[in-house]
Amino acid sequence: MGNKFMAIKKIVEEKKDTKVIYPLDMPPVVQVIANKCLADNDTIRLVELLDVLNSHNFMAHSYIILTDSGRIQEEALAL
């Protein structure tokens, strides 16, 4: 489980101009792992689950969206 978080951390360490917004839409035990792996990085913001408007706003202004959510995949294509 921590591998995806470590991959995100590696991306931002290698690409200094990359910023990540990571909504914590996951079980509490996974949130603990996410915080342990990502919270110490200034270019990664762990945020509470976004409402639809904020979610669409972030997606519309994003260069890349990584997700395992079918809904987000569909919405990202539309934006």
Side-chain angles (χ1 to χ4, degrees):
M1 182 61 68
N3 288 341
K4 75 176 174 181
F5 301 127
M6 297 311 292
I8 292 168
K9 189 172 184 174
K10 184 175 180 178
I11 290 168
V12 298
E13 288 172 351
E14 290 179 5
K15 303 292 184 184
K16 300 295 183 190
D17 62 339
T18 302
K19 294 183 179 22
V20 173
I21 303 296
Y22 198 110
L24 293 172
D25 180 22
M26 55 192 76
V29 67
V30 182
Q31 288 184 22
V32 170
I33 297 169
N35 277 300
K36 184 177 179 180
C37 295
L38 303 176
D40 65 342
N41 192 305
D42 293 339
T43 59
I44 302 172
R45 287 192 51 209
L46 302 175
V47 299
E48 294 298 319
L49 185 59
L50 300 170
D51 62 25
V52 173
L53 184 59
N54 283 323
S55 179
H56 288 176
N57 189 33
F58 275 113
M59 286 191 287
H61 290 89
S62 296
Y63 177 73
I64 189 170
I65 299 169
L66 302 174
T67 184
D68 61 356
S69 165
R71 181 184 62 84
I72 298 293
Q73 291 172 8
E74 291 173 359
E75 291 174 356
L77 285 174
L79 296 169

